[in-house]
Amino acid sequence: MRHLMIPLTTLLASPVLAEGFDRPIPQAQSATAEFWYALACLALVAAMIAVHRLVARR
């Protein structure tokens, strides 16, 4: 039984049966998405400054 399993798994796992990979196409960002990203970046910078001030006091 073991001798049958090796060729069978080799044949089933062959690249001939595999589907080709279709690379996803990136979509353009909308103005709304860019606005929210900029707002999140500013919030992150503000949080980092607040943490820096809190740690520097100690």
Side-chain angles (χ1 to χ4, degrees):
M1 188 68 176
R2 184 180 299 175
H3 297 292
L4 283 175
M5 292 303 289
I6 293 173
L8 185 62
T9 43
T10 305
L11 288 174
L12 288 177
S14 68
V16 175
L17 300 175
E19 225 178 274
F21 176 71
D22 293 328
R23 177 170 278 183
I25 300 170
Q27 300 295 323
Q29 294 289 337
S30 65
T32 307
E34 288 181 6
F35 168 75
W36 285 111
Y37 181 76
L39 192 66
C41 287
L42 292 174
L44 177 64
V45 169
M48 296 294 277
I49 291 170
V51 168
H52 173 70
R53 285 185 159 195
L54 180 67
V55 171
R57 287 184 186 173
R58 294 181 181 218

